[in-house]
Amino acid sequence: MTIASTVVNPYLEGNFAPINTEISTDTLEVIGEIPLDLSGMFVRNGPNPQWSPIGQYHWFDGDGMLHGVQINDGKATYHNRYVRTRGWNIEHEAGKAVWSGLLEPPQMDNPHGPGKNTANTALVWHNQQLLALWEGGAPHHISTTDLATIGEHTYNDKLISAFTAHPKVDPVTGEMMFFGYGFRPPYLQYGVVSAQGELLRTVPIEIPTAVMMHDFAITENYTIFMDLPLTFSMERMMQGEPMLMFESDRPSRFGIMPRHGDNSNIRWFECPPCYVFHTLNAYEAGDEVILIACRMNSTSVLMAENPLEDTPFLHRWRFNLSTGAVTEEKLDDVPGEFPRVNENLLGRKTQYGYVGKMAHSQNPLFDGLIKYDFENGKSQTHEFGKNRYGGEAVFAPCPNATAEDQGWLVTFVYDENSQTSELVVINAQDITSAPIARVMIPQRVPYGFHGIWIS
């Protein structure tokens, strides 16, 4: 006799599971007190499949859903909305999933195209516009009033590449830098958008093969690309092997290029093989360009039996532009991801950085936040509490701040004990203390990806 076993996908159960309601709530319960200086909106993006998946489901596959908390005069309101992409609309009409995901072969015979832009990863605020992002396609313009989708944003049809989920906005010039990677040459393209929202130029950057390049970094004068050995290969896929694979015999390469340069003036630095999903910041010091990011020895992109094999730790690289020397240094033994800084200083040297502290779990759960003081080589930790897990903490600066860390860290936290979600507000200058405010959300907020604070 054989007993049928049902393997439950961990990303479709518990607080990874999607919710199917879109609500708006005007008066939220607040435990503690929201500072009157904290005025604006926290919005977080994440995967929330509209329908049961075709085949195997990967966490990166779900349709984008935005969860927004508007804060003003110590009070808070909440909205959540799907990003209504072309793919979402087609599947909504069909009443079922039309596309399979990352773990299934591309559907080359799908009449609607082999894949869909889920707009599920991150957000950027630029030129007074909120954009929902996914690295395989165009951004989607979102209304800040109610998180409704206005439509795809293609820069007057000047966008000729994919658009990273992690563009960088220079806080001084207002320019936005982005890149797009693809499966056919040019495997990498780089673009600059003016402060007024005009796509100025897109240039191809030569790299040897197609790689998954999730993030990059900027300094005041340079842009830093990461050509890491997580490669795409159609040939591999034809032979029944994974299309996306970490090749541990290939080195990692970091390319440093003047912001308005092109492939002719990029400099490549080789390092031992590694993977970086997210950079914290980069800056210049004399002849050196310094990069701080969360580094893993390898990655299975959450597909390993034990994702803890892909453990990220904060690292610092120093690239000497005059000697060509490069050094790599581990900054902590505590695993962490989702790094952020006070974005008013992006691309400049910061004293502080904030990283999600990873829990000892099979799944990517965060049980606290770490505040790093890079000048003094110290760190402090905020613990969410027993069976309470959060996500990426975004820094909301205090208006008229006189110190870099004068402001608040905001993130969603899910309490597995009470099965409730809340937005926590933590004083960034007193990170070890309890949150100064907990905004109770009237429905569960599933674990997700990246957020933004719009003051």
Side-chain angles (χ1 to χ4, degrees), residues 258-339:
R259 176 176 297 178
H260 295 281
D262 56 31
N263 192 64
S264 68
N265 48 16
I266 191 166
R267 300 227 359 231
W268 291 100
F269 295 79
E270 276 199 8
C271 296
C274 70
Y275 197 71
V276 171
F277 271 109
H278 300 115
T279 64
L280 180 136
N281 198 15
Y283 59 94
E284 298 159 38
D287 289 339
E288 290 186 322
V289 167
I290 295 161
L291 170 69
I292 301 177
C294 297
R295 178 197 185 278
M296 309 169 167
N297 286 329
S298 68
T299 183
S300 65
V301 197
L302 305 177
M303 292 185 268
E305 289 301 305
N306 177 12
L308 286 177
E309 290 167 18
D310 312 348
T311 310
F313 298 96
L314 201 64
H315 278 65
R316 176 164 52 213
W317 290 260
R318 294 176 182 274
F319 305 100
N320 192 307
L321 297 180
S322 58
T323 67
V326 53
T327 61
E328 183 182 283
E329 168 192 12
K330 189 177 181 183
L331 297 181
D332 200 355
D333 289 323
V334 178
E337 247 295 358
F338 287 161

Side-chain angles (χ1 to χ4, degrees), residues 357-376:
K357 176 178 168 282
M358 298 194 77
H360 292 285
S361 160
Q362 289 279 70
N363 300 322
L365 293 174
F366 297 87
D367 58 10
L369 301 172
I370 307 170
K371 176 186 182 181
Y372 289 96
D373 177 342
F374 299 117
E375 251 163 57
N376 298 302

Side-chain angles (χ1 to χ4, degrees), residues 10-19 47-49 444 446-447:
Y11 298 107
L12 292 172
E13 64 173 3
N15 196 45
F16 286 98
I19 57 170
N48 196 94
R444 188 169 64 78
Y447 299 127

Side-chain angles (χ1 to χ4, degrees), residues 35-200:
L36 292 176
D37 278 352
L38 184 63
S39 181
M41 182 163 60
F42 174 72
V43 190
R44 202 219 60 206
N45 204 344
N48 196 94
Q50 185 182 189
W51 306 108
S52 294
I54 297 171
Q56 302 174 83
Y57 176 77
H58 190 285
W59 196 30
F60 295 174
D61 292 339
D63 299 287
M65 182 179 271
L66 306 177
H67 297 264
V69 177
Q70 185 98 34
I71 291 171
N72 200 18
D73 292 332
K75 298 185 175 64
T77 64
Y78 166 81
H79 301 286
N80 72 301
R81 295 287 182 274
Y82 273 112
V83 184
R84 282 165 167 70
T85 61
R86 171 180 171 265
W88 187 93
N89 287 321
I90 288 169
E91 293 188 326
H92 192 69
E93 285 285 306
K96 63 177 184 181
V98 170
W99 284 274
S100 56
L102 197 62
L103 299 178
E104 299 292 332
Q107 297 160 295
M108 301 320 260
D109 56 351
N110 189 317
H112 303 290
K116 66 172 173 175
N117 180 341
T118 56
N120 71 4
T121 313
L123 298 141
V124 70
W125 176 255
H126 187 242
N127 185 34
Q128 301 299 304
Q129 288 183 320
L130 178 62
L131 301 176
L133 306 170
W134 179 73
E135 64 200 55
H140 282 74
H141 185 192
I142 304 294
S143 160
T144 50
T145 313
D146 55 2
L147 301 182
T149 306
I150 296 164
E152 274 201 352
H153 189 66
T154 59
Y155 295 93
N156 296 319
D157 295 330
K158 286 187 181 174
L159 184 63
I160 58 168
S161 70
F163 193 100
T164 175
H166 295 291
K168 307 298 177 199
V169 178
D170 185 309
V172 177
T173 68
E175 293 170 300
M176 177 167 66
M177 279 51 72
F178 73 93
F179 68 89
Y181 66 83
F183 305 123
R184 297 180 188 87
Y187 298 120
L188 177 62
Q189 298 193 72
Y190 165 64
V192 180
V193 179
S194 74
Q196 293 74 37
E198 187 192 351
L199 206 171
L200 301 175

